[in-house]
Amino acid sequence: MARRITAPRIQRMKGKGKKVVMVTAYDATFARLVDSADVDAVLVGDSLGNVIQGHETTLPVTLEEMIYHTRCVSRGLTRPLLVGDLPFLSYQASVEQAVISAGRLMKEGRANAVKLEGGACMAKAVRRLVDIGIPVMGHIGLTPQSVHAFGGMKIQGREDQRAEQILADAKALEEAGVFSIVLEGLPTPLAKRVTESVEVPTIGISAGPHCDGQVLVLYDMLALDETFKPRFVKHYASMGATVVDALNRFSSEVREGAFPDEEHSFE
Ligand code: KIV
């Protein structure tokens, strides 16, 4: 069996100039496919609220749901680091709440690390998690759990004051002990500045090419929903069209009596 990629190994990749490659996954079947590809980390993101559950935002996702999907993914994964995402209001209330929720994602969900949104305001919780042996991935910029405060999914840090705040957030997370930081929805020059100002790897989504790694939502990059094509998403396959085509061929063959034929039947 291939050796598991660890959080310290992801952290060291920056010093070696190696890009970190991360994708999301939500079930064992996709996890197995990702496992057989050259990917460093798998994030069971609370984006499952959008792509699995059909919600408008990630806010309704519960800790129980995250634990369930993380455990499903863990059964299909042998090599990439498995990162479980802490959902809205499972860690912001207190350091104790963060410890219990992160602990459950590791213990019941079998995550190797957790991710949480927020910068300086989460530093105390991050420090405590790291102190008790839970590797933490930070997430700053356009943090989707704050979509209502931002007034929509808007690129962050175009104004000087907000840009300085994002830089300070990255520094605070690094000092608190995160092994990497997701930068989401930042102008390219700001993501570059943040990346140059911290020693832990930054993993970008909608943050330009200068981050130390990149992450995409698996369903987006495979174009399972062809109508969802924001500028930062690249379609590496046309899975949505392939699925509809397969379903239509099945439907025609059933209606014509061509399926099942002898080859797919028992005597
Ligand atoms: O929930 C998620 O999938 C994420 C990534 C987009 C970084 O947070």
Side-chain angles (χ1 to χ4, degrees):
M1 196 199 289
R3 262 204 331 182
R4 176 79 70 176
I5 295 179
T6 63
R9 184 159 152 198
I10 297 279
Q11 186 167 350
R12 285 194 301 270
M13 284 172 75
K14 180 160 184 157
K16 294 182 178 165
K18 283 191 190 162
K19 291 270 189 186
V20 179
V21 179
M22 182 162 84
V23 293
T24 65
Y26 315 101
D27 64 33
T29 300
F30 270 117
R32 262 181 225 115
L33 293 171
V34 175
D35 201 53
S36 61
D38 188 9
V39 166
D40 302 306
V42 170
L43 170 68
V44 184
D46 63 356
S47 53
L48 68 82
N50 307 114
V51 297
I52 302 287
Q53 299 176 334
H55 293 300
E56 290 261 308
T57 73
T58 58
L59 273 67
V61 178
T62 67
L63 181 62
E64 300 302 327
E65 289 162 349
M66 291 308 303
I67 291 170
Y68 170 78
H69 284 278
T70 307
R71 202 169 54 237
C72 291
V73 169
S74 79
R75 296 191 195 105
L77 223 56
T78 59
R79 186 172 168 276
L81 181 79
L82 173 54
V83 185
D85 214 359
L86 285 165
F88 180 59
L89 230 51
S90 71
Y91 59 98
Q92 294 97 334
S94 64
V95 171
E96 288 71 25
Q97 190 200 27
V99 168
I100 290 165
S101 299
R104 289 193 63 200
L105 260 186
M106 306 277 289
K107 200 178 168 102
E108 299 170 47
R110 304 193 192 133
N112 310 130
V114 301
K115 178 173 82 58
L116 53 77
E117 296 184 9
C121 67
M122 292 313 306
K124 255 176 119 172
V126 170
R127 168 51 58 205
R128 179 75 184 133
L129 293 176
V130 172
D131 281 350
I132 62 169
I134 297 181
V136 181
M137 178 180 279
H139 184 167
I140 56 175
L142 172 48
T143 43
Q145 292 172 17
S146 303
V147 60
H148 295 302
F150 295 147
M153 293 292 280
K154 296 177 181 161
I155 295 289
Q156 298 294 302
R158 289 200 197 278
E159 319 76 27
D160 288 351
Q161 203 184 340
R162 178 77 176 116
E164 292 309 317
Q165 188 191 350
I166 289 166
L167 276 160
D169 281 340
K171 283 304 238 183
L173 287 177
E174 178 176 43
E175 274 160 30
V178 296
F179 70 93
S180 59
I181 306 173
V182 170
L183 303 183
E184 179 164 356
L186 299 186
T188 297
L190 177 58
K192 185 168 185 282
R193 265 183 82 196
V194 174
T195 299
E196 287 167 356
S197 73
V198 291
E199 282 176 21
V200 293
T202 59
I203 304 177
I205 175 162
S206 186
H210 303 296
C211 300
D212 300 305
Q214 297 289 329
V215 55
L216 279 178
V217 169
L218 191 62
Y219 283 35
D220 296 348
M221 62 173 290
L222 298 179
L224 276 160
D225 174 2
E226 310 239 354
T227 64
F228 185 70
K229 180 70 182 72
R231 179 169 168 165
F232 65 90
V233 170
K234 180 167 175 182
H235 287 166
Y236 285 88
S238 300
M239 294 293 291
T242 304
V243 169
V244 173
D245 178 57
L247 290 168
N248 281 332
R249 285 193 293 120
F250 171 60
S251 168
S252 304
E253 290 192 6
V254 169
R255 295 209 165 95
E256 289 160 7
F259 179 87
D261 53 12
E262 241 178 71
E263 189 190 339
H264 297 95
S265 307
F266 298 93
E267 284 191 10

